[in-house]
Amino acid sequence: MNKESKEKGPKLVIIGGGTGSSVLLRGLKKYTSNITAIVTVADDGGGSGKLREDLGMLPPGDIRSCILALADTEPIMEKLLQYRFQEGSLKGQNFGNLFIAAMNEITGNFEQAVKNISDVLKVKGTVIPVTLENIILIAELENGEFVRGESQIPIVAKEKQQRIKRVFIDPSKVAPHQDAIQAIQEADGIILGPGSLYTSIIPNLLVDGLSDAISKAKGVKFYVSNIMTQPGETDCYTVIDHVKAILNHVKYSNRNSMVEYIIANNGSIPEYLLQKYREDGSTMVIYNNDKRLKKYPYSFIVDDFVEIKKDYVRHNADKVARIICNLIKEKKLAKEELSFTGSII
């Protein structure tokens, strides 16, 4: 698709963070330049967590992944920004995270740092932290135990063999980034997922005003289900289990208007790769095509969305993006035809 067509493409908002969002963003940017990624800032593990603790800044990891996914950079620059130090005091730290940290120190403002780096890397779209306030993610397990810290939640849940009952944030009241709210209000399409259910997607919805804005938005609303479960987080979850978890974390009045279309995979995965995932405690997310689904007010888009990259299961981002953009276009044309009341002369 040429540059002019992309500039006229649908306004899309993707809400999440991490690998899931970055994979899909690479597909979406082929069809439109009007993309806003709203990204969680609850990460407290790895290099991001260390920078957060040492410098008192918001965690840069998920922001970095989404910026790179939308960036128009040379391969060597992407390799540099994804490089993780192997030795010394910087071992485990990501150069891209340090780049954001340095820009944060220069500007004294995380929001401005993200904007400046987006300009440097010629990002096609906008990356926005869901809030500029410091938040901690906490989970309540089914045994009543509480786990504090995003990075610890799946670890402890797996060790204790306990499902996550709910997650919440501390402090419980935090202001959303107003650009995120505006982007949702103006969007032609709003996409939740794919990505870590309790640690990438739901944390965004816990920020004041986010779920309200999605519920009231006129854009077409999608949930892109994960292909594989995540150990300690979504063990044995079906597609509907994922959706129910999302709805259980928003206001009751918002539930029926948070999701319209569910994109789910029914493609297969090579046995050798399934075995590798099983060894890590992960299995395929099951789409149960049975009568029980009829009670849910959603439309299901089910297809083979599997793509294998370096022995990792990923979504075929181009296929998902094409379906989303085509559906938005079709609905927009149908609405225009219905609203046309004039006469042709």
Side-chain angles (χ1 to χ4, degrees), residues 5 30 48 61 127 146 148 181 227 230 257-259 261-262 265 300 305 318 330 340:
S5 297
K30 296 177 183 177
S48 281
V127 180
F146 291 90
R148 188 177 179 87
I181 299 296
I227 294 174
Q230 291 185 272
S257 50
M258 289 292 293
V259 176
Y261 291 90
I262 296 173
N265 172 63
F300 289 84
F305 293 113
D318 182 75
E330 288 169 11
F340 179 73

Side-chain angles (χ1 to χ4, degrees), residues 258-282:
M258 289 292 293
V259 176
E260 293 176 76
Y261 291 90
I262 296 173
I263 296 176
N265 172 63
N266 66 357
S268 60
I269 296 170
E271 182 57 34
Y272 82 92
L273 200 51
L274 276 178
Q275 183 57 35
K276 175 189 170 185
Y277 273 88
R278 285 192 203 107
E279 289 170 2
D280 291 331
S282 181

